[in-house]
Amino acid sequence: MVLSTWAQSKYPQLQEIVTDHAQIFSSEQLSGLKNKLGQFEQQTTNQLVVLTIEQLGNETIEQYAYGTFNKNKLGQVEKDNGILVLFAKDDREVRIEVGYGLEPYITDAVASRIIRNTMLPRFKAGEYFLGIDLATDQIIQFLSDPEALEEFKKETDSDSGMGVGFKIFILLFLSIFVMAGAFISYRSFGNMIEVFRGMFIGKLGILPGIFMALFSLVPLLFSLVFVVMPLVFVVLIWGIDVTGYSYLLDNMLWIFYVFGSIFLLAMLLAVIKIRVKGKEDFKLSFFKSDRKYVTKTFSSGGTHSFSSSAGSGSSSSFSGGGGSSGGGGASGSW
């Protein structure tokens, strides 16, 4: 709770629909922008907020926008229909952060194209207000006029230089690799469950069993290549902006949570398997393993894809709130 409060205190508490900390707007520009965005909110309940700052500090613009958005709970409860336009003057960066409810409309690709074609050319010329004003005009138009949005999306697709049909073909081709990775993961996870089952019924020593369970992660990691690489191609082909999820790369601790959850799930399923069969009692053996059981269960000719002679002294080897934002949107720099 203390860490959460400290993290949120880094971001400003917004009091206005337009907050110009960087002082890039004249009084007339500020007043006009507030009136426009205020009327848009009254008419649609969609909340389009503009924040300008001088510096991001030690934060990336994705982190700052995400933190500010969720601290201020932009948009309406259950609708999640808020959008934040964040402008960092000294860092020369801008971001459009989109709430969950509006992500189907202002997609990452749409937000990226607005930044690239509307905002950045004006920012490079020093016309900061014009770039933000025109961008908010586009967002308002797209959320008010579905036909204009669809036309803009078609132009965005054509900009990529690749037809929808070819994209679908690539997607189907890449799905083959995804299915292969899923199959490897399924087999490897099955092996892990059987390792834990053997440990829980005393047929497999705890010490060799732990090593076997750890090595079961190797093919799981290998299978991720078949899943992650196609996803990378999809991101590149569709022009999806993933900078909003850069915080996952900044804190890799989530990987340990994922694999820890895999271990716990395998243990749980092993226990369920023992209880359902009801023919075996729970008991533990720290070192000694049943050689006959290990050979039968984990040999290449058995039901699993690795072999072991895990008896004592032997070696083993085997193979294979208001509103909220989830980080959707796009960023750009000039």
Side-chain angles (χ1 to χ4, degrees), residues 38 63 90 114 122 143 169 172 178 269-271 287 291 306 328:
Q63 293 170 332
D90 293 347
I114 291 174
R122 276 77 185 187
L143 293 178
F169 170 77
L172 292 175
V178 175
L269 293 177
V271 171
F287 301 104
R291 184 184 297 272
F306 58 90

Side-chain angles (χ1 to χ4, degrees), residues 208-258:
I210 289 175
F211 280 104
M212 293 171 70
L214 288 172
F215 277 111
S216 294
L217 288 175
V218 174
L220 278 175
L221 289 170
F222 178 72
S223 67
L224 288 178
V225 176
F226 288 88
V227 176
V228 172
M229 290 308 296
L231 291 178
V232 172
F233 280 110
V234 168
V235 168
L236 294 175
I237 292 172
W238 263 264
I240 300 173
D241 184 86
V242 294
T243 53
Y245 303 95
S246 61
Y247 59 90
L248 293 177
L249 297 177
D250 296 333
N251 184 5
M252 302 296 288
L253 190 62
W254 62 272
I255 296 178
F256 294 98
Y257 290 127
V258 169

Side-chain angles (χ1 to χ4, degrees), residues 320-332:
S324 59
S325 171
S331 306

Side-chain angles (χ1 to χ4, degrees), residues 24-44:
I24 61 173
F25 303 146
S26 67
S27 57
E28 292 81 8
Q29 291 171 341
L30 183 61
S31 177
L33 192 56
K34 285 182 179 179
N35 290 335
K36 179 177 67 174
L37 302 186
Q39 290 178 6
F40 176 62
E41 182 178 3
Q42 290 179 357
Q43 295 169 357
T44 65

